[in-house]
Amino acid sequence: MRAKQIPSSLTRSKSQILLLFFSLSLILLSFLFFLFPPSDPAASSTTHPYPHPLIPPQTSFVASLEHFLTHKALNHRSSDDTVRSLLQDDVRMFDDRKFAKEMDWVHGDRYYPLNFPIRVYVYQMPNKFTYNLLWLFRNTYRETSNLTSNGSPVHRLIEQHSIDYWLWADLIAPESERLLKNVVRVHRQEEADLFFVPFFTTISFFLLEKQQCKALYREALKWVTDQPAWKRSEGRDHIFPIHHPWSFKSVRRYVKNSIWLLPDMDSTGNRYKPGQVSLEKDLILPYVPNVDLCDAKCVSESESKRTILLFFRGRLKRNAGGKIRSKLVTELAGAKDVVIEEGTSGDQGKAAAQKGMRR
């Protein structure tokens, strides 16, 4: 195909530029969602720190999801992008359209792609991969109290790894409500730089039975890899939110060329296999905090109590190969205004971490 004739060095350079822009955009979105407190309705006449004063960003996953499902999801279109019978001609025709569009951009703007926004196509997957999983979380949130092996409530871990929901909800929102302004959603695949796969791997991992989850993973894999855009690029321009280190594990080897949104790249704890993750293609996104938001009143009350320069609470000894943390502990032990302590998960650990961070 003609797209394959572009020198690999140019393709790699363009991909790295797009990844850099996309990573900066995602980090910006994380700050907007998770660091700014909701505005006070009584202070609507004052200056607003948000792009859209009338729609302050929601910081609670549960509250945001409830609003999304009850006010927006009910009106979503039932159609999807499922490929019924894919022929090689379909891939060739898509490649022709994509190549023609890229040539228009190259010849039409001397600064392409530097002054272009990142264009993302969001797949419309069948409901079982998207809305049904969100409803499953919503309907079982208060009923499910089972814990993981380290004592963390399952639903809290889903909230912690909910970056896939926050990104998807923003990408499909009306343009006037979107926060991530330097990423544009396009509705024609040939106009896209990247393809977002909105499959909630973390929810399915925790809330479905093991075999049921693996079967759904296989179905999602087949659905995505049947797409003409996937076959054209072998998935190199497709984004998978795989934010929990154990989710999507049984089929990862088939999507190793794709861009993964990850919490870390720890390959020592049997999380990722060699060759699956790479700093050249993947992005590390922060955990979604599940502590209580420190609003303006909280900030003013705690400001005078801030006597700590650096605070850490968590596991001081990591799995084999986790050497950096132990070296930091050794280097910083006894340093002035530095507090580093062993921590555990659960309600008491959460409260202790929250208290320490506010100091």
Side-chain angles (χ1 to χ4, degrees), residues 96-114:
D96 289 342
R97 295 197 305 272
K98 179 68 174 173
F99 183 80
K101 180 62 68 174
E102 289 181 343
M103 290 300 99
D104 287 343
W105 290 330
V106 168
H107 296 298
D109 193 319
R110 61 184 296 185
Y111 296 108
Y112 172 81
L114 292 180

Side-chain angles (χ1 to χ4, degrees), residues 7-20:
S8 60
S9 60
L10 295 178
T11 304
R12 188 179 304 111
S13 175
K14 178 185 173 183
S15 299
Q16 290 174 342
I17 293 173
L18 292 176
L19 274 177
L20 176 61

Side-chain angles (χ1 to χ4, degrees), residues 6 20 28 67 69 75 83 103 109 112 133 152-154 166 176-177 182 199 206 231 234 240 244 250 284 306 319 324:
I6 300 175
L20 176 61
L28 172 62
H67 177 78
L69 290 175
N75 299 322
V83 179
M103 290 300 99
D109 193 319
Y112 172 81
L133 290 173
S152 298
V154 163
W166 291 107
S176 60
E177 298 178 15
N182 52 345
F199 175 43
F206 278 116
K231 293 186 179 297
E234 296 180 340
F240 280 87
H244 190 277
S250 57
I284 303 298
R306 294 188 179 184
N319 298 324
I324 296 178

Side-chain angles (χ1 to χ4, degrees), residues 287-306:
Y287 293 118
V288 178
N290 54 31
V291 295
D292 299 330
L293 184 71
C294 191
D295 56 19
K297 181 174 182 293
C298 164
V299 170
S300 64
E301 292 176 348
S302 63
E303 188 172 7
S304 62
K305 302 175 183 177
R306 294 188 179 184

